[in-house]
C-alpha cells in the first residue's frame, strides 16, 4: 500500500454495503471488503486482475428488535477477550482506543442476519469487534 499515487502500480476498489438505518456496515476485514476489483494500470489503460462479489441480500421484512449491550458493556467485553481482533495494528504493549461506534458486519459467508457489533479503533491500526447483542439473545 502507498499513499503516493505516482508510486502505485495497482489499485483496489472496495465496495461496501450502504448504511442501514444510519448505521455503517463494516466488512469482516474492516480496511478492505470482500467485494472488490483489483486492477493494474499502465499509461492510460487499466487491466482487471481479480474481482469478487460476495454479497447476500437481506430481508427487511424479517427484522427483529433485540436489546443491545451498552458501550460500557462492550468495552468490558473487549478488555475480557469477548470480541474478535480484526487488525492488531502496530505491535505495542498499550493500545489506545480513539473511536468506538455501532455498526453491522456484512458477512463474507452466508448468514440469515446481519450482526450488530461495536467497532473499536485505535490511531495505529488496531480494530476490534464486540458483538452488540446481549449474550442471552444469542445462541
Amino acid at each position: 500500500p502507498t499513499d503516493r499515487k505516482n508510486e502505485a502500480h495497482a489499485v483496489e476498489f472496495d465496495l461496501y454495503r450502504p448504511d442501514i438505518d444510519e448505521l455503517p456496515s463494516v466488512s469482516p476485514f474492516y480496511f478492505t471488503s470482500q467485494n472488490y476489483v483489483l486492477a493494474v494500470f499502465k499509461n492510460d489503460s487499466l487491466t482487471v486482475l481479480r474481482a469478487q462479489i460476495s454479497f447476500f441480500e437481506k430481508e427487511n421484512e424479517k427484522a427483529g428488535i433485540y436489546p443491545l449491550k451498552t458501550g460500557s458493556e462492550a468495552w468490558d467485553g473487549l478488555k475480557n477477550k469477548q470480541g474478535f481482533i480484526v487488525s492488531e495494528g502496530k505491535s505495542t504493549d498499550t493500545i489506545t482506543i480513539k473511536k468506538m461506534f455501532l455498526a453491522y458486519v456484512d458477512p463474507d459467508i452466508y448468514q440469515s442476519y446481519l450482526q450488530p457489533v461495536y467497532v473499536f479503533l485505535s490511531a495505529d491500526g488496531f480494530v476490534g469487534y464486540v458483538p452488540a447483542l446481549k449474550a442471552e439473545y444469542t445462541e
Side-chain angles (χ1 to χ4, degrees), residues 63-132:
I65 298 174
Y66 299 93
L68 299 180
K69 295 174 185 173
T70 64
S72 295
E73 290 170 325
W75 172 243
D76 289 340
L78 182 68
K79 292 187 296 186
N80 293 317
K81 301 179 182 177
Q82 296 170 342
F84 47 100
I85 306 304
V86 177
S87 170
E88 292 181 1
K90 296 180 179 137
S91 74
T92 61
D93 292 337
T94 303
I95 297 170
T96 302
I97 300 300
K98 295 289 188 176
K99 184 175 182 180
M100 178 186 89
F101 60 93
L102 193 59
Y104 287 103
V105 175
D106 185 14
D108 58 342
I109 57 171
Y110 178 74
Q111 291 181 175
S112 58
Y113 57 89
L114 290 176
Q115 180 183 10
V117 295
Y118 281 96
V119 179
F120 293 88
L121 305 174
S122 76
D124 67 350
F126 172 88
V127 180
Y129 294 167
V130 173

